[in-house]
Amino acid sequence: MRHGWSLLALAGLMVCAAGCGSQPPGGAAHRPSSLTGAGRPSLAGKPAPLASPAPAGPFLIDLTWISDRRGWALAAAPCATGLCPRLASTRDGGHTWQMLPDPPVRVPYGLGNCPPVACVSHLRFATPAVGYLFGPALYQTSDGGRAWQRVPGRPVEALEPSAGTVVRVVYDHGGCPGPCDRVVQETTAGSGAWHTLLGIPAASGGYSAAAQLIRQGTATMYLPLYGHIAGGGPSAHALIFSSADGGQTWQQHPDPCGGTGRSEHDAIGMAAAPGGFAAIMDR
């Protein structure tokens, strides 16, 4: 399998640069850690696949940071019902962790055992107090993760906070083959009033298998819609939407490294970089 990195200028030329790698640049949001489920979390371990057979021990699901010292970790531990969530926070850059009460959610394991209204697989904090558990359900905390309340609404595929605001991608239903009729919405951190920034019709990427949301400050954001690489269709190229004005207007870009036939390369990951650029990994 070939992997490469591309650079996408928000308002400039898209250039494909070959290379090797499996980690996005930066890495501040991917610090290694795991939760033991009892006592102080350890800092050894890595994510495990969410599939049968059952994992032998706890494993990390997601990390979120609001500074280089303040962060939270979501993990899963085997329990009588399959997998149970574990939550912890750090104030010293991950050197020590403090366990928080288990959130009232389920985490995915195997097939069909995670109710959509309670199932989450991602964690983000916008401020020291306001945080979100999502994917596809949405839960919100206003006290740093000690208590969580479910937020009713459409399933949430992606969510990213930045500078006091929160942007999310919600969808109507699945099976196109991915989530269908996506809508990009924004709110102030902690508020329950969301307003629409972008609606994505099926004709312009509504049938993509997965969406990702990347933000740089309050103004710049990217929304790549990844193709279904196992679908056997003519191509699995990504479609990328970008905005430089906080979601007021959007530009649509083709996959910057998308070839055809034997030379086809499809974007499978994207990460923000300083200066209005983003790095894209292809396969």
Side-chain angles (χ1 to χ4, degrees), residues 165-207:
T165 64
V166 182
V167 178
R168 69 180 183 179
V169 178
V170 298
Y171 58 93
D172 188 11
H173 61 284
C176 292
C180 311
D181 300 328
R182 293 179 173 98
V183 176
V184 182
Q185 299 176 327
E186 183 185 42
T187 191
T188 302
S191 171
W194 297 83
H195 66 273
T196 296
L197 298 177
L198 176 68
I200 306 173
S204 62
Y207 295 124

Side-chain angles (χ1 to χ4, degrees), residues 125 127-131 140-149 190:
F125 267 77
T127 71
V130 178
Q140 182 176 322
T141 182
S142 58
D143 60 5
R146 294 174 179 83
W148 296 84
Q149 298 78 40

Side-chain angles (χ1 to χ4, degrees), residues 28-29 31 64-72 90-94 125-128:
R31 305 183 185 188
T64 181
W65 300 85
I66 60 172
S67 70
D68 60 353
R69 299 183 63 81
R70 192 77 167 95
W72 291 258
T90 180
R91 296 174 181 269
D92 57 12
F125 267 77
T127 71

Side-chain angles (χ1 to χ4, degrees), residues 43-67:
L43 296 181
K46 59 182 179 179
L50 299 177
S52 297
F59 60 92
L60 182 68
I61 296 178
D62 205 0
L63 286 167
T64 181
W65 300 85
I66 60 172
S67 70

Side-chain angles (χ1 to χ4, degrees), residues 79-105:
C79 62
T81 58
L83 290 177
C84 293
R86 300 287 184 263
L87 193 65
S89 66
T90 180
R91 296 174 181 269
D92 57 12
H95 293 287
T96 60
W97 293 82
Q98 296 75 45
M99 295 299 299
L100 295 169
D102 295 344
V105 299

